[in-house]
Amino acid sequence: MSTAYAMRDSMTMLRRNLKHAQRYPSMTVSIVATPILMLLLFVYVFGGTLGAGIPHSGSGGDRAQYTNFVVPGIILMAVTAGAISTAVSVCTDMTEGIINRFRTMAISRSSVLTGHVVGNVIQTMISLVLVIGVALLVGFRPHGSALDWVAALAMLSLLAFALSWVSAAIGLGAGSIEAASNAPMPLTFLPFLGSAVVPPSSMPVGLRQFAEYQPFTSITNTLRGLLMGTHIGNNAVIALAWGVGLSIFGYLWARSVFNRDARR
Amino acid sequence: MSATTEQMAPPKGISAVGLRKSYGDKLVLDGVDLEVRPGTVFALLGPNGAGKTTVVQILSTLIAADGGQAFVSGQPLEDADAVRAQIGVTGQFAAVDGLLTAEENLLLMADLHHLDRREGRRRAAELLSQFDLAGDATKRASTFSGGMRRKLDLAMTLVGRPSLIFLDEPTTGLDPRSRRTLWHLIRELAKQGVTIFLTTQYLEEADQLADRIAVLDGGRIVAEGTAEELKRLVPGGHIRLQFADAHSLDAATAQLGLSTAVRDDENLSLQIPSDGSIPTLRSVLDLLERSRVHAQALTVHTPDLDDVFLALTGNGAAHHTAASTVKESLR
C-alpha cells in the first residue's frame, strides 16, 4: 500500500470523523462544557481561598491572581477531556461493525485510526479556543508573546495527539461504549495531582513526589511559563519528551490492538 | 485506475482445504473443505453456532485460520490485500455509518476504492437507484429500517465492483417483504456473474438462491450438494390422512392395504409414502370415496430442506457418523 494511498485514505477517514463531530454535537458540547464549568468553579468558588495560598507575583486580588494561576491547568484539562473522547468514537465504530468492513477492504490499515486521531485533535483545538475565550472573559490576563502562544499551541496539539492515540487504543480494546467512556477517565484527574490547580510544594511528601514527576506537571509548568512568563527551565524538554514518548507508545499500542484478530 | 474498476474482474471462486480454527480450547472449525465455482451462488447452511461466521471471517481476511489453505478469487489468503481488492463483505450486523446519509455512505466507499469524484458520484447514484434508495439518499442511515439498512449495506459492498461477495446471514431479522427484496437483488447480482458466498440459517433462503449448498454442523461440513441432491438424502415425502375415530382409521388402513403405510394410533393418522403427485393423490381420494371412509383432513408433505437440516444437524456422535456416510454416498 503506497504512501499516497495511505494519505488519501487517512483524509477520507478524517472527513468522515469531522462530519461525525458536526452531526453529533452533544459529545463536542460536553467536551467544551466540562472544562468551562471547572474554570468557573475554581475561579469563583475556590478562587478566593486558593488564591491566598499561592505565591503572589503581580498585582490584583487573590482571585485575580488565582485565575492566572489556574487557567493553564484548565486548558490542560480541556485537552485531556477532548482527547479521551477518541476512545468513545473508536469504540462506536467497533461496536457498529463498520471497522470490520474497513478491515476487509484494500485500504491503508492505519488510516482508520489516523482519521480518528487527527479529527479528534482538530476538535480538541477548536474546543480549546472556546475555553481560552471564556478564560479571558473571567479575567485571565496572559502576557505571552505571539511566539509563546504558537509554542504553547504546538505543545498542546502534541499532547492532544499523544492522548488521542492512547485513547484510541483504549477504545479499541474496551468492548463496550460505557467502558470506552470510563476507562480513560483517570487521565482527566492527573492534572489535579500535579501543578494544575495548586503548587505541588503544598502537598504531602508522597503525593508531592508523584506530582513532580508525572507528565502533566512539566507540561503545565511549560504552559504557565509560556503564557504567564514564569520560569520554565528544563520543564519544556521534559514536556516534549513526554509528548513524543506518549505518542509513540499510544500509536504502537493502538496499532497492535487494531491488527489483532477480530473477535466475535 | 478508473479503467480497471470500470470493467468486472474475471470471476474466480473459492477453494479451501482443511480450515481449522479454535478459540482457546473451543474448537470452532474442524477441517472445513469448500469448493465454490466462479459465478455461482453457494450457501453455507447451519444452525446457530455451527461456525458459519468464522468461515466467512477467515475467507474474507478478517481473522487468520489456525490451519488449512484457501484461495479466494484466485489469490491465496496470505496475500490479504490482493484478496481484499477482489471481494466485498456484508456481515451479520449491518456495517453502515449511521451518522452519514445513504449517499455519503456510498461516497465514503467510493473514496476508499480511490474512484475519482465524478466516477464516485455516478456509481453512488447508480446503486441508489438500483437498490431503490434514491428517495432516501439524503437521509441519515440511523433513521433507516432494518431492511433499508441491509440494502444500503449491500450497496456499499458493491461500490468497488467486487467479483466475489460474502453475505453473512444477509436476511436475519428482516420481515418477509424485505427478505424477498434482498433475494431479488442477490439473484440480479448472480446474473451479472458475481460469485456469491452466502451463509444462512433459513433453509428456504438456501433453496431459493443457491446453486450448491453445504451443511455445516459442529465445525464440519456434513453434507454438500444441490438442493435437490440434499432433499434426496432424507426420506420424508408422504400424504398424511387424519381421521376422527379409530374405526375410520382401521377401515382406511384395511382398504389401502399398503405395507408401507405408517399408522399412528395415538393421533389417529395414517402416513402414506408418496411423491405428492396429483395422480397418486387422486387414487388415494378415490379409494377413500369408494369405501366410504371419511377422512377429516389430508396434508401433502414434500421433503424440504427442513428435513435435511433436522436430519443432518444436531448434537451427538451417532449423527456425525451417519452424516459422514451420507456425505460419502453423495460423492
Side-chain angles (χ1 to χ4, degrees):
Chain A
M1 189 58 48
S2 72
T3 331
Y5 280 155
M7 278 294 290
R8 185 173 170 176
D9 292 344
S10 298
M11 283 305 292
T12 302
M13 293 298 182
L14 173 60
R15 277 202 302 279
R16 165 173 182 261
N17 288 302
L18 291 179
K19 242 175 224 162
H20 279 192
Q22 194 191 333
R23 305 239 166 117
Y24 186 63
S26 66
M27 179 114 112
T28 321
V29 168
S30 82
I31 289 167
V32 181
T34 312
I36 288 177
L37 288 175
M38 285 287 200
L39 174 68
L40 300 178
L41 184 71
F42 276 98
V43 169
Y44 293 111
V45 180
F46 307 140
T49 307
L50 288 174
I54 58 158
H56 280 216
S57 57
S59 56
D62 289 340
R63 196 185 306 279
Q65 288 288 328
Y66 186 68
T67 303
N68 283 333
F69 179 84
V70 82
V71 165
I74 297 291
I75 288 176
L76 229 55
M77 279 176 212
V79 171
T80 312
I84 64 170
S85 71
T86 313
V88 176
S89 57
V90 168
C91 186
T92 307
D93 270 5
M94 291 295 279
T95 52
E96 281 190 346
I98 199 155
I99 283 212
N100 278 352
R101 177 186 286 285
F102 294 145
R103 280 190 219 216
T104 56
M105 294 174 72
I107 59 172
S108 150
R109 304 219 98 189
S110 61
S111 68
V112 181
L113 294 176
T114 307
H116 274 289
V117 168
V118 176
N120 198 268
V121 171
I122 292 173
Q123 208 183 329
T124 302
M125 295 320 274
I126 292 170
S127 78
L128 199 58
V129 171
L130 293 171
V131 171
I132 293 173
V134 174
L136 292 171
L137 285 177
V138 301
F140 178 51
R141 293 294 171 262
H143 31 74
S145 68
L147 200 64
D148 289 336
W149 274 98
V150 170
L153 289 179
M155 187 186 66
L156 292 170
S157 314
L158 177 63
L159 178 68
F161 185 73
L163 293 180
S164 290
W165 275 115
V166 172
S167 314
I170 294 172
L172 283 172
S176 77
I177 292 173
E178 289 77 14
S181 152
N182 292 332
M185 279 301 256
L187 281 174
T188 57
F189 284 99
L190 273 182
F192 287 99
L193 307 179
S195 58
V197 294
V198 292
S201 55
S202 63
M203 299 174 184
V205 181
L207 191 57
R208 189 199 312 157
Q209 280 163 343
F210 174 77
E212 276 165 0
Y213 293 106
Q214 64 118 328
F216 281 92
T217 299
S218 56
I219 297 169
T220 314
N221 292 345
T222 309
L223 188 62
R224 198 169 275 143
L226 289 168
L227 301 186
M228 304 308 303
T230 54
H231 180 65
I232 296 179
N234 61 0
N235 277 311
V237 179
I238 298 171
L240 189 68
W242 273 116
V244 174
L246 278 175
S247 299
I248 294 170
F249 165 75
Y251 171 75
L252 293 177
W253 182 18
R255 199 183 64 170
S256 86
V257 181
F258 188 74
N259 288 338
R260 215 165 54 191
D261 273 2
R263 294 288 156 88
R264 197 161 52 198
Chain B
M1 188 66 212
S2 56
T4 48
T5 45
E6 198 58 54
Q7 71 204 39
M8 199 79 73
K12 291 165 193 142
I14 299 174
S15 73
V17 183
L19 292 182
R20 303 178 65 84
K21 181 80 188 173
S22 41
Y23 287 108
D25 52 6
K26 189 185 181 317
L27 185 62
V28 182
L29 297 182
D30 186 13
V32 168
D33 300 347
L34 290 169
E35 195 70 48
V36 180
R37 283 195 301 272
T40 62
V41 180
F42 182 91
L44 188 61
L45 186 67
N48 289 330
K52 302 187 296 289
T53 297
T54 309
V55 172
V56 171
Q57 286 179 329
I58 289 172
L59 295 176
S60 65
T61 75
L62 259 180
I63 60 174
D66 296 339
Q69 258 282 324
F71 287 85
V72 174
S73 219
Q75 311 289 340
L77 273 187
E78 291 73 29
D79 192 355
D81 264 339
V83 172
R84 287 174 191 146
Q86 296 286 326
I87 63 169
V89 185
T90 294
Q92 222 176 100
F93 305 94
V96 303
D97 190 329
L99 288 175
L100 301 185
T101 67
E103 187 182 25
E104 286 168 340
N105 266 298
L106 293 168
L107 291 175
L108 173 68
M109 292 298 117
D111 284 341
L112 292 175
H113 281 104
H114 309 125
L115 303 185
D116 68 40
R117 194 159 293 259
R118 208 168 45 88
E119 167 66 10
R121 293 205 170 275
R122 208 183 56 73
R123 186 76 181 128
E126 186 179 68
L127 286 165
L128 283 169
S129 83
Q130 188 186 337
F131 282 70
D132 203 19
L133 288 167
D136 303 293
T138 56
K139 288 194 192 131
R140 284 189 201 177
S142 56
T143 66
F144 280 14
S145 68
M148 285 163 76
R149 279 172 79 94
R150 290 299 174 92
K151 281 203 289 185
L152 176 59
D153 195 333
L154 184 55
M156 286 166 74
T157 300
L158 298 175
V159 170
R161 299 182 189 276
S163 62
L164 190 156
I165 60 174
F166 292 96
L167 301 172
D168 190 13
E169 303 202 4
T171 64
T172 299
L174 292 190
D175 62 59
R177 187 182 303 277
S178 308
R179 179 170 301 159
R180 275 177 173 72
T181 310
L182 219 59
W183 285 354
H184 172 72
L185 291 168
I186 293 169
R187 278 197 204 99
E188 288 299 308
L189 283 173
K191 267 189 218 155
Q192 292 163 27
V194 179
T195 311
I196 295 168
F197 186 101
L198 171 89
T199 77
T200 182
Q201 46 177 321
Y202 300 120
L203 308 136
E204 194 193 353
E205 186 158 286
D207 205 358
Q208 287 272 339
L209 297 175
D211 298 309
R212 286 188 82 78
I213 300 167
V215 183
L216 183 71
D217 187 42
R220 297 183 73 87
I221 302 287
V222 294
E224 209 238 308
T226 62
E228 290 312 310
E229 285 171 339
L230 291 180
K231 284 175 193 169
R232 255 180 260 140
L233 290 181
V234 287
H238 59 258
I239 297 168
R240 186 169 181 277
L241 294 168
Q242 179 73 47
F243 297 95
D245 49 52
H247 176 71
S248 310
L249 177 59
D250 287 340
T253 315
Q255 286 296 325
L256 281 163
L258 277 172
S259 61
T260 48
V262 180
R263 193 186 147 125
D264 183 344
D265 283 319
E266 206 171 309
N267 291 312
L268 299 174
S269 72
L270 194 60
Q271 279 192 11
I272 306 146
S274 142
D275 55 1
S277 67
I278 288 173
T280 326
L281 269 177
R282 184 173 291 135
S283 62
V284 170
L285 288 173
D286 283 348
L287 190 75
L288 291 174
E289 180 74 31
R290 274 201 309 276
S291 49
R292 303 220 163 78
V293 177
H294 181 69
Q296 268 190 326
L298 178 149
T299 47
V300 178
H301 187 90
T302 46
D304 59 19
L305 283 176
D306 276 326
D307 300 311
V308 183
F309 193 80
L310 294 173
L312 295 182
T313 68
N315 300 311
H319 112 93
H320 260 296
T321 40
S324 28
T325 17
V326 166
K327 189 182 167 191
E328 286 315 310
S329 67
L330 248 180
R331 286 187 167 164

